[in-house]
Amino acid sequence: MKKLSINISGHLTSVSLENEFIEELQRIAAQQKKSVAQIIREIDAERGGKTNLSSAVRVWILGNIS
């Protein structure tokens, strides 16, 4: 497990992800020409506080594996 620190709407937050999820997130970010932080901010905006951010990131990654 690793923690990624991200600034979202002016406050620092972190997500805890397994190495495999981090690697896949980085691969998807590079493919989409976005930063990892940008993708996490987009996921945060979409989840609307309904679920844990780390869980939301994992689900998003699984839905975006090509």
Side-chain angles (χ1 to χ4, degrees):
M1 278 292 230
K2 288 187 180 177
K3 285 192 176 192
L4 298 175
S5 295
I6 309 296
N7 188 320
I8 298 177
S9 300
H11 70 278
L12 193 61
T13 191
S14 65
V15 294
S16 297
L17 298 171
E18 295 77 7
N19 291 336
E20 295 83 359
F21 280 104
I22 291 173
E23 290 169 6
E24 189 62 22
L25 181 58
Q26 291 170 335
R27 187 194 66 74
I28 294 168
Q31 180 182 7
Q32 293 185 4
K33 296 181 177 28
K34 296 180 179 179
S35 70
V36 167
Q38 183 179 3
I39 289 176
I40 293 174
R41 284 196 284 287
E42 291 171 3
I43 295 167
D44 181 61
E46 290 174 13
R47 77 183 172 106
K50 296 177 187 172
T51 187
N52 174 282
L53 181 55
S54 296
S55 296
V57 170
R58 285 186 192 93
V59 170
W60 183 90
I61 291 168
L62 290 173
N64 285 276
I65 294 175
S66 52

